[in-house]
Amino acid sequence: MGPEERLEMAVNLRTPDRVPVAPIVASVAARWAGISQREFLRDIEKGMAALDTADELLGGCDANWNLYPFQTARSLQVLGAMQVLLPGDGIPEDSVFQYVETEVMKSEEYPYLVRNFPEFNKVYLSRIHAGVDALAIRETSLWRAELHHRDIERWANRGVPSMVATVLSLPFDLLSFMRSWERFFLDLYRIPNIVVEALDVMANSVFHAARRAVAQSGVRRVFLGGTRCAATFISPKMFDRFVMPTLRWLVGALFKEGIVSLLHFDSDWTPHLARLAELPRGSCILDLDGTTDIFEAKRLLSDRLCIMGDVPANLLTMGTPQDVESYCKKLIDIVGGGGGFILSSGCDVPVDARLENVRAMVDTAKTYGAYHA
Amino acid sequence: MESKLADLMTDLEEEAVLKLTKELLTQGQPPLSIIEQCRDGLSRVGEHFAQKEYFLAELVMAAEIFREVMALVQPHLGASEGKGALATIVLGTVKGDIHDMGKNIVASLLSASGFRVIDAGVDVSSNVFVDRVKESGASILGLSALLTTAIPSMKATIEALTDSGLRSRLKVMVGGAVVNQRVAENVGADFYGSDAIKAVDFCRWASGGGSGA
């Protein structure tokens, strides 16, 4: 069975030949290839070669986690949804890039955002990225799409499917980046109605961006990031008001077009999980980072959504291969039971992860993860 | 203690809290009593958080309301009133990491709870932490990190405190998304707080202010 079929069967809540495995390998690839983070993000050929090397070192995974085109220095500096500190530019050459969060959008700008989000978004990008204008945004979008296309083809030639057509954030998270998290949480109390209006408008824009990327790339999965709307941050009651309506609409509208939402949900979603049961069966991959109780997710959602995750970052850096193996076996036994599971890292594999630990994850899926007919 | 102000604070009724604060000040109620009632409300907010009825957004709102109350009350405080902080705490995100979400909410809640907070900022090197602790006479240090790569900086900071002879009079707490009990032990911290309220509880306990950690 090929990797794409394996992934699709898991997404459709069926049992493939074995549990698919797809750790999110990004910055760590540079470390393993012996190049700095600066080179990784700025030298495209070296960056892609590092990702190839990582896949070889791991013995081959079931998907190309194609975040790279979205995380090159150029993409981050022009199209990134937050201001960024790049390695070698304010932080050391071998640091991972980090986001800077400030109140960029003022509370009085909500009506402008609601009136014309695409235009407002360009204004926002020009504020967070020095010297960026509409032309730079258009050129970089085209450049990124071309790079993405090349990346997808390269992996397809080796028989490895790409995971996502594009990388987007849920409207709630995107708005919190624009406002800064503290200001945004106060908005939820002080001006809830206009926040809801803004989220509706942004959901529509996210939908169109996702549909466009699927048409361009041919990949029928889109990455939708959500962290700020986790229960670490907001109550289930707030979730019902500010997140669930747009999430339900967005996932449903994409699914009608045959597009699967990869819900990359960091932080603790446990108290919100029951709500996700109303999303259409097979419409999502729920990708958890080790903070949410993934076993509870399985209990509540096993007949609705494919679950992905969630070997924790600190296990990959500080644990032993035996620790990783035994955690993966537990995931395979419980979350993998009956299918509908993809074994992965909890969020990105951290840059200082030990190769033998990530390798243990991949090997365990291939050996222990077989489903017996 | 029955207090409408504390109740309104607990319910995060921003406008009503501020309106009542102004009324109480006009009526000549002692400013310290107003602060105490709001702190009482705030500690109930903390209880709701521990019960998972409130979440981080509620903590942010509570800290904001408290800040606004303090701004109203401050001009009415006498020169010596309200200066006796529970303890001094230095907080910061360690070298190599610029994430400040966790640190900021801990700082707001600690200062609302009556501690003197010295916020050392983000990407703070071990010698800056040592200097801040020395200058301020802090008895508690809080170190935050979101990146696994910043964990060695936590360890280096605690080692630097030992080398400069400050470690023995200092309690060190650590927190952040990649930190857990195992990391805390590994870097030589005294306490791991999985959320902001646990950090406040620990500081109360460590400074002998009751409410065990």
Side-chain angles (χ1 to χ4, degrees):
Chain A
M1 182 176 286
E4 178 63 39
E5 193 185 349
R6 196 172 287 133
L7 283 178
E8 275 183 24
M9 286 188 80
V11 173
N12 292 322
L13 309 176
R14 293 164 59 205
T15 50
D17 57 342
R18 64 163 169 83
V19 168
V21 60
I24 308 181
V25 174
S27 60
V28 71
R31 194 63 65 90
W32 292 343
I35 60 172
S36 70
Q37 291 299 316
R38 183 175 192 279
E39 279 179 290
F40 180 65
L41 298 183
R42 289 178 192 274
D43 187 326
I44 304 302
E45 302 311 317
K46 278 188 187 170
M48 295 207 292
L51 289 159
D52 291 352
T53 305
D55 194 60
E56 282 158 26
L57 290 170
L58 292 174
C61 301
D62 288 312
N64 161 35
W65 257 104
N66 45 335
L67 302 180
Y68 185 67
F70 302 89
Q71 295 182 343
T72 64
R74 183 170 173 188
S75 308
L76 289 169
Q77 278 176 315
V78 179
L79 303 172
M82 276 173 109
Q83 203 186 326
V84 71
L85 279 183
L86 291 171
D89 197 2
I91 54 173
E93 297 232 332
D94 202 30
S95 294
V96 291
F97 70 87
Q98 296 182 49
Y99 294 113
V100 181
E101 186 159 359
T102 54
E103 182 185 359
V104 177
M105 168 189 166
K106 301 291 170 198
S107 64
E108 56 271 21
E109 290 182 302
Y110 272 100
Y112 180 11
L113 183 154
V114 169
R115 208 162 51 241
N116 190 344
F117 177 69
E119 187 187 295
F120 182 81
N121 194 40
K122 282 184 193 138
V123 171
Y124 170 75
L125 291 177
S126 71
R127 283 184 199 167
I128 57 171
H129 304 307
V132 166
D133 56 15
L135 180 66
I137 293 170
R138 197 163 60 242
E139 281 178 357
T140 307
S141 302
L142 289 170
W143 174 83
R144 187 179 71 179
E146 177 59 34
L147 176 63
H148 193 205
H149 186 73
R150 214 180 112 202
D151 189 51
I152 291 168
E153 256 190 357
R154 239 164 37 90
W155 287 82
N157 290 338
R158 301 212 291 265
V160 181
S162 288
M163 193 58 104
V164 288
T166 186
V167 177
L168 300 164
S169 290
L170 288 184
F172 188 93
D173 277 56
L174 190 51
L175 192 52
S176 89
F177 301 155
M178 293 177 151
R179 285 285 291 134
S180 83
W181 68 276
E182 274 181 295
R183 294 285 114 199
F184 182 61
F185 286 162
L186 299 177
D187 293 346
L188 302 182
Y189 282 95
R190 291 172 171 162
I191 45 171
N193 295 334
I194 190 110
V195 170
V196 168
E197 271 186 68
L199 293 169
D200 284 348
V201 167
M202 291 164 81
N204 197 44
S205 171
V206 170
F207 169 71
H208 287 290
R211 197 166 62 164
R212 211 164 39 238
V214 168
Q216 278 172 0
S217 68
V219 179
R220 305 205 68 81
R221 291 174 289 264
V222 295
F223 180 108
L224 295 176
T227 299
R228 306 283 169 89
C229 39
T232 309
F233 303 100
I234 62 166
S235 63
K237 198 174 141 199
M238 275 197 178
F239 185 81
D240 287 341
R241 177 160 189 198
F242 295 106
V243 185
M244 200 58 211
T246 46
L247 181 65
R248 186 190 295 117
W249 177 81
L250 191 55
V251 165
L254 290 171
F255 193 51
K256 270 191 201 128
E257 310 247 337
I259 302 168
V260 168
S261 299
L262 192 153
L263 305 177
H264 181 83
F265 284 178
D266 288 341
S267 281
D268 185 12
W269 282 73
T270 315
H272 296 339
L273 287 175
R275 276 128 174 114
L276 303 182
E278 61 176 274
L279 298 175
R281 187 173 197 277
S283 63
C284 302
I285 301 168
L286 179 61
D287 176 21
L288 303 171
D289 78 347
T291 318
T292 300
D293 182 346
I294 197 169
F295 304 102
E296 179 71 357
K298 178 70 176 181
R299 203 178 64 75
L300 292 170
L301 302 168
S302 63
D303 60 341
R304 307 300 299 171
L305 308 177
C306 172
I307 296 168
M308 171 151 74
D310 75 345
V311 183
N314 49 34
L315 191 56
L316 294 173
T317 55
M318 296 168 73
T320 63
Q322 291 71 35
D323 295 337
V324 173
E325 183 186 330
S326 73
Y327 185 69
C328 290
K329 283 183 170 172
K330 188 178 166 194
L331 287 175
I332 290 167
D333 286 340
I334 303 175
V335 190
F341 175 58
I342 300 167
L343 180 63
S344 182
S345 49
C347 200
D348 285 31
V349 172
V351 68
D352 51 350
R354 296 166 62 190
L355 173 61
E356 57 270 35
N357 286 352
V358 188
R359 174 89 202 204
M361 181 198 310
V362 176
D363 289 347
T364 307
K366 289 180 181 173
T367 53
Y368 190 80
Y371 288 106
H372 301 289
Chain B
M1 181 175 63
E2 284 291 312
S3 155
K4 186 163 179 227
L5 191 58
D7 291 345
L8 291 171
M9 181 77 200
T10 310
D11 295 339
L12 306 173
E13 295 289 346
E14 182 179 27
E15 281 175 32
V17 168
L18 300 180
K19 185 164 171 273
L20 183 56
T21 300
K22 285 177 200 155
E23 282 167 19
L24 293 174
L25 285 169
T26 317
Q27 289 162 20
Q29 188 157 134
L32 284 181
S33 145
I34 294 174
I35 296 174
E36 273 318 305
Q37 292 173 60
C38 286
R39 277 200 186 130
D40 189 33
L42 198 64
S43 78
R44 280 191 250 156
V45 167
E47 286 162 24
H48 283 302
F49 183 85
Q51 301 296 322
K52 296 196 184 332
E53 294 153 359
Y54 277 4
F55 297 80
L56 194 70
E58 282 76 21
L59 297 187
V60 170
M61 190 62 193
E64 171 77 0
I65 300 174
F66 193 86
R67 194 188 57 73
E68 293 174 303
V69 168
M70 285 306 286
L72 292 173
V73 171
Q74 208 84 54
H76 299 265
L77 283 175
S80 63
E81 278 182 306
K83 299 281 189 248
L86 288 172
T88 298
I89 301 168
V90 171
L91 287 180
T93 304
V94 297
K95 187 80 195 155
D97 198 334
I98 61 160
H99 291 91
D100 62 2
M101 189 188 264
K103 171 188 69 70
N104 289 357
I105 187 69
V106 171
S108 307
L109 291 173
L110 284 173
S111 70
S113 304
F115 291 93
R116 178 171 161 245
V117 176
I118 314 282
D119 187 343
V122 297
D123 194 21
V124 180
S125 63
S126 53
N127 36 354
V128 171
F129 275 119
V130 169
D131 290 347
R132 292 287 169 279
V133 168
K134 222 182 262 175
E135 294 156 13
S136 64
S139 56
I140 301 170
L141 172 67
L143 302 176
S144 172
L146 191 111
L147 301 171
T148 53
T149 47
I151 290 172
S153 307
M154 280 188 165
K155 192 167 187 163
T157 302
I158 295 174
E159 283 166 3
L161 289 160
T162 307
D163 294 345
S164 53
L166 295 165
R167 180 70 182 91
S168 55
R169 68 162 165 88
L170 198 67
K171 294 281 183 212
V172 180
M173 58 178 184
V174 292
V178 294
V179 181
N180 58 23
Q181 189 60 40
R182 184 170 165 181
V183 171
E185 284 162 21
N186 184 277
V187 301
D190 299 304
F191 177 73
Y192 157 64
S194 57
D195 62 56
I197 295 297
K198 291 205 179 79
V200 174
D201 286 344
F202 172 74
C203 292
R204 282 215 185 93
W205 172 80
S207 60
S211 174

